[in-house]
Amino acid sequence: MSAAEAIPGLLLGRDGEPVFDAPWQAQAFAMTVALHEKGVFTWSEWAATLGREIADGGHGDGNDGYYAAWLAALENIMAQKGVATVSELQDRRDAWRRAAEATPHGMPIELQTIES
């Protein structure tokens, strides 16, 4: 059974394969679109930031590497625009790592809400 048959409503690319390999990729994409729609950055600012991150390399190959670069670019532009500090972003990464380590395999990872 293909992914498209197994997951109804799955977003597929032109080749019929899933656009996202994992939920976090779709979430990073959605956060980027939402921040753009709120006017945090323009698409040309986003394209330049993502392009620099991809050119810097070191994120791996395939979809996973591409979306790792995407996430790094999102963190960079959020820090540049003052949406979140580098420290806040690191705190969130640390919280995510701790939650992932504490979550049994196959269960959804849940982060605690960060209070301001």
Side-chain angles (χ1 to χ4, degrees):
M1 176 181 294
S2 74
E5 295 167 327
I7 306 170
L10 183 65
L11 183 59
L12 302 176
R14 289 187 182 119
D15 60 1
E17 292 297 314
V19 174
F20 305 109
D21 292 338
W24 73 266
Q25 295 172 356
Q27 291 165 345
F29 182 89
M31 285 188 291
T32 303
V33 171
L35 288 167
H36 170 266
E37 288 175 347
K38 289 184 183 259
V40 173
F41 51 80
T42 66
W43 279 129
S44 39
E45 289 173 317
W46 170 251
T49 304
L50 179 58
R52 281 190 302 275
E53 199 59 48
I54 291 169
D56 287 347
H59 296 289
D61 297 323
N63 244 13
D64 208 43
Y66 176 75
Y67 282 103
W70 185 287
L71 185 57
L74 183 57
E75 290 177 347
N76 288 338
I77 204 164
M78 288 174 62
Q80 290 168 11
K81 297 294 187 169
V83 174
T85 66
V86 172
S87 176
E88 289 169 333
L89 292 168
Q90 184 62 51
D91 289 348
R92 185 53 110 182
R93 280 192 297 278
D94 291 345
W96 179 259
R97 181 188 44 75
R98 286 190 305 273
E101 289 170 356
T103 302
H105 180 74
M107 300 299 296
I109 298 171
E110 295 183 20
L111 292 177
Q112 298 298 319
T113 303
I114 296 177
E115 298 292 327
S116 303

